[in-house]
Amino acid sequence: MEIATRTQALPLSRRSRANLGWRVPMLLTAGVIAVPVLVIVGSLFQGFSPVWEHLLATVLQDYVVNSLLLMLGVGVGTLALGLTSAWLTAMCDFPGRRFFNWALLLPMAIPAYIIAYTYTGILDYAGPVQSALRAQFGWGYGDYYFPAIRSLGGAICMLSLVLYPYVFLLARVAFREQSTAVLEASRSLGKGPWQTLFQVALPMARPAVVAGVSLALMETLADYGTVAYFGVNAFTTGIFRTWYGLGELQTAAQLAAFLLLFVFTLFLLEHYSRRRLRFHHNSARQQPGRIVLEGWRGGLACAIAGFILLAGFLLPALQLGQWALERWGDTDLSAFSRLVGSSFGLAAMAAAACLLIALLLGYGKRLHPGPVENQAARVSAMGYAVPGTVIAVGVLIPFAWLDNRIDGLMREHFDISTGLLLSGTLTALVFAYVVRFLSVSLQTVESGLARIRPSIDESARSLGLRPLAVLRRIHLPMLRGSLATALLLVFVDVLKELPTTLILRPFNFNTLAVRAHELASDERLADAALPALAIVLIGLLPVILMNRTAGAHEPQQN
């Protein structure tokens, strides 16, 4: 017995030492990734500069009020568009339902700032709509009223059109998973389709709807391109102006901290709502029989879904395509190729970095499923809820401090100036992307690892394989689909990201998003079409992937 006990203890001791090689890097990585957010929060405990008096007296109230109004408007807009489209495609049967079931996700491929540029070109004074009205009725300037697209209301409309798919996707899944018996009981008691929606189906789907609206509102608070282009004073534009216009990085960090409080309050409200709401179906879950809409009702349903798709994707995409064709002959293809190459290279670096760190954290959490490791993974993933402007400020402050320290030491000991080794290079930008989008890779990797049985790990370890060998020889081949998905999602997110890139990019370095923003800011909307269209076309890839995933799980009607 003593010999047997010793022979069993040796592998356990080696296993503990091997696992320690994952735990320490995992915890250190999580701590480093949390630094930008901690720096921003820590700025609240430092002194406030005299610039705060200027902000309080002039624009701070506008930042708060406009941000709240923006959230309120986008919340209502995404709720109306997302719930209507989800109810029609999940619970009703009408002409074109199968097409709209996947097509209504297409607006996710268009960043909000690109749809803002496009609709400005369409609806502005010199655009085709107002030009046609003046030509048709003989109107001149001041003879008619047309709503201003560059306004708070315009920003709300643009953000609602591209963010409603968050509500649509989650609400559609929630409606599909509801029990047939509950909905049929409502109808048997004399409730019509709309009464059943508002009094039965919607309350049961409320956790999913709240989650979708919360995601849309987080994206709203993170938006910079739309509000900046429309001249709306919000927190993101205020941070940018305070930093670049007033030269107050510390004050910009404190503004970012207040924006972060908005985001975390929203996150906690969403989490609290889901924690408090629990709905249990006592009957077997079946796909409810769809409401058949025929005649004018079917036509109306098709028209509603068609209008949402037209406004959210088809019209802006067609306008971008027309502008791109008009400017194709004047395009410097070599310059555009360099722009595409730098954008793709940067996105590939960030996606690879996110994937490697996600593997470290996900596999480390699998080896050590303890509370400390779980919290480390959760802290690493919180950057996705943080606006890119906030992360950019949080990254620049510690990186600039490190640059100054290194430069000071080199000057003191070697009389050499090192300059900007970190904050002026792609290192800071890629690190900011990792903080911002690591959650996307981590969730995908963890989902893939969860489908691998723990018994496979135990069998491999009993044969003498170390954790790294188990990951390399067993897990990675089984995770190829999940890893490719993680790379694709982060690649596209980085390609569309504007504020982080705009703030942290090195000198003379451009991406498709930044170039489109520069051209649109110079009112060269048609010239901005080609880089914007490239972003939209690449953004279709994760939408197609999402459609396939959703279609694979869609219940079939009998």
Side-chain angles (χ1 to χ4, degrees):
M1 289 295 295
E2 183 179 356
I3 295 174
T5 303
R6 287 179 179 176
T7 57
Q8 291 174 1
L10 287 175
L12 289 175
S13 176
R14 287 198 299 268
R15 180 177 301 182
S16 299
R17 290 196 299 269
N19 288 349
L20 190 63
W22 285 90
R23 187 176 189 181
V24 174
M26 176 187 177
L27 297 179
L28 287 176
T29 301
V32 171
I33 291 174
V35 166
V37 177
L38 295 177
V39 167
I40 293 297
V41 174
S43 67
L44 290 175
F45 301 97
Q46 300 180 11
F48 290 84
S49 69
V51 175
W52 268 101
E53 297 181 6
H54 170 71
L55 294 177
L56 285 171
T58 54
V59 292
L60 188 58
Q61 182 178 352
D62 289 341
Y63 294 161
V64 175
V65 173
N66 287 338
S67 296
L68 291 175
L69 290 176
L70 200 62
M71 291 171 61
L72 177 63
V74 173
V76 173
T78 54
L79 197 62
L81 296 175
L83 276 181
T84 301
S85 53
W87 175 257
L88 288 175
T89 54
M91 308 299 288
C92 301
D93 199 0
F94 60 94
R97 186 197 67 84
R98 285 186 172 273
F99 168 74
F100 290 116
N101 193 49
W102 64 265
L104 286 169
L105 283 174
L106 291 177
M108 295 187 79
I110 304 184
Y113 57 88
I114 288 179
I115 201 174
Y117 308 154
T118 308
Y119 269 106
T120 298
I122 295 173
L123 300 177
D124 224 354
Y125 181 80
V129 174
Q130 293 199 52
S131 297
L133 289 175
R134 290 194 300 272
Q136 178 69 28
F137 298 103
W139 291 336
Y141 180 77
D143 293 339
Y144 65 99
Y145 169 77
F146 198 88
I149 182 67
R150 302 194 195 201
S151 61
L152 178 62
I156 289 172
C157 291
M158 298 300 102
L159 289 166
S160 298
L161 285 175
V162 297
L163 296 179
Y164 83 84
Y166 286 109
V167 180
F168 166 70
L169 188 62
L170 295 177
R172 186 181 64 178
V173 172
F175 287 147
R176 284 176 178 168
E177 292 182 346
Q178 290 177 2
S179 170
T180 303
V182 175
L183 299 180
E184 291 299 333
S186 171
R187 294 169 190 168
S188 67
L189 292 173
K191 301 292 185 182
W194 292 107
Q195 289 176 309
T196 300
L197 167 63
F198 287 108
Q199 298 180 17
V200 180
L202 191 55
M204 288 196 297
R206 185 178 171 186
V209 173
V210 170
V213 173
S214 299
L215 288 172
L217 294 184
M218 288 180 189
E219 291 291 336
T220 300
L221 287 174
D223 177 78
Y224 170 77
T226 306
V227 292
Y229 186 66
F230 281 178
V232 178
N233 286 330
F235 267 107
T236 49
T237 56
I239 293 168
F240 199 90
R241 291 169 186 168
T242 303
W243 184 353
Y244 281 88
L246 301 177
E248 285 283 339
L249 181 57
Q250 183 63 31
T251 305
Q254 291 165 342
L255 274 177
F258 283 111
L259 177 57
L260 199 59
L261 292 178
F262 270 75
V263 174
F264 281 149
T265 301
L266 189 63
F267 179 80
L268 291 175
L269 287 175
E270 184 269 338
H271 181 72
Y272 180 77
S273 176
R274 286 190 291 108
R275 184 181 66 85
R276 296 275 300 187
L277 293 171
R278 295 291 183 270
F279 298 99
H280 304 281
H281 303 147
N282 295 325
S283 57
R285 182 175 66 82
Q286 306 172 28
Q287 170 66 11
R290 296 192 182 96
I291 304 168
V292 179
L293 301 178
E294 298 177 336
W296 68 269
R297 292 183 177 85
L300 179 61
C302 185
I304 292 173
F307 174 77
I308 295 174
L309 178 61
L310 178 68
F313 180 78
L314 293 179
L315 188 58
L318 290 173
Q319 181 64 78
L320 287 174
Q322 179 187 343
W323 284 338
L325 288 175
E326 290 175 355
R327 291 293 194 272
W328 181 258
D330 301 328
T331 302
D332 186 346
L333 293 181
S334 61
F336 183 73
S337 299
R338 290 193 298 271
L339 191 65
V340 171
S342 61
S343 301
F344 278 34
L346 181 62
M349 283 192 294
C354 284
L355 183 61
L356 291 174
I357 296 174
L359 280 172
L360 171 65
L361 296 174
Y363 192 53
K365 185 179 173 182
R366 183 180 178 94
L367 292 174
H368 300 278
V372 176
E373 290 75 16
N374 289 333
Q375 288 300 322
R378 183 175 298 179
V379 167
S380 302
M382 69 181 178
Y384 196 67
V386 180
T389 314
V390 176
I391 290 178
V393 176
V395 167
L396 188 64
I397 291 175
F399 273 44
W401 179 84
L402 279 175
D403 277 340
N404 289 330
R405 294 286 296 176
I406 294 172
D407 185 68
L409 290 174
M410 294 298 290
R411 283 176 180 272
E412 181 180 350
H413 296 286
F414 302 100
D415 197 24
I416 298 174
S417 176
T418 56
L420 300 177
L421 293 176
L422 300 174
S423 57
T425 65
L426 290 178
T427 304
L429 187 53
V430 172
F431 178 70
Y433 288 146
V434 170
V435 176
R436 178 84 167 90
F437 299 116
L438 178 62
S439 174
V440 179
S441 288
L442 184 58
Q443 289 182 9
T444 308
V445 169
E446 285 184 338
S447 176
L449 287 171
R451 292 194 293 269
I452 300 176
R453 296 178 181 178
S455 58
I456 296 178
D457 298 48
E458 295 170 1
S459 300
R461 298 297 299 278
S462 67
L463 294 174
L465 292 181
R466 294 181 176 273
L468 184 60
V470 175
L471 177 65
R472 186 181 68 254
R473 298 174 60 179
I474 297 175
H475 288 173
L476 290 183
M478 299 177 71
L479 289 172
R480 277 181 294 185
S482 297
L483 300 183
T485 301
L487 278 172
L488 173 64
L489 293 175
V490 176
F491 181 91
V492 175
D493 278 340
V494 170
L495 207 64
K496 296 191 294 185
E497 176 66 16
L498 176 62
T500 306
T501 313
L502 197 62
I503 293 173
L504 293 178
R505 65 189 174 119
F507 294 113
N508 298 321
F509 183 87
N510 237 348
T511 65
L512 290 168
V514 173
R515 185 57 179 159
H517 174 74
E518 289 175 344
L519 292 171
S521 299
D522 292 338
E523 300 303 325
R524 298 167 60 188
L525 296 176
D527 293 325
L530 192 58
L533 188 61
I535 295 173
V536 172
L537 293 177
I538 298 166
L540 288 173
L541 296 177
V543 176
I544 294 171
L545 178 65
M546 201 178 306
N547 284 328
R548 288 184 177 180
T549 304
H553 294 89
E554 182 178 0
Q556 300 295 321
Q557 279 298 107
N558 294 326

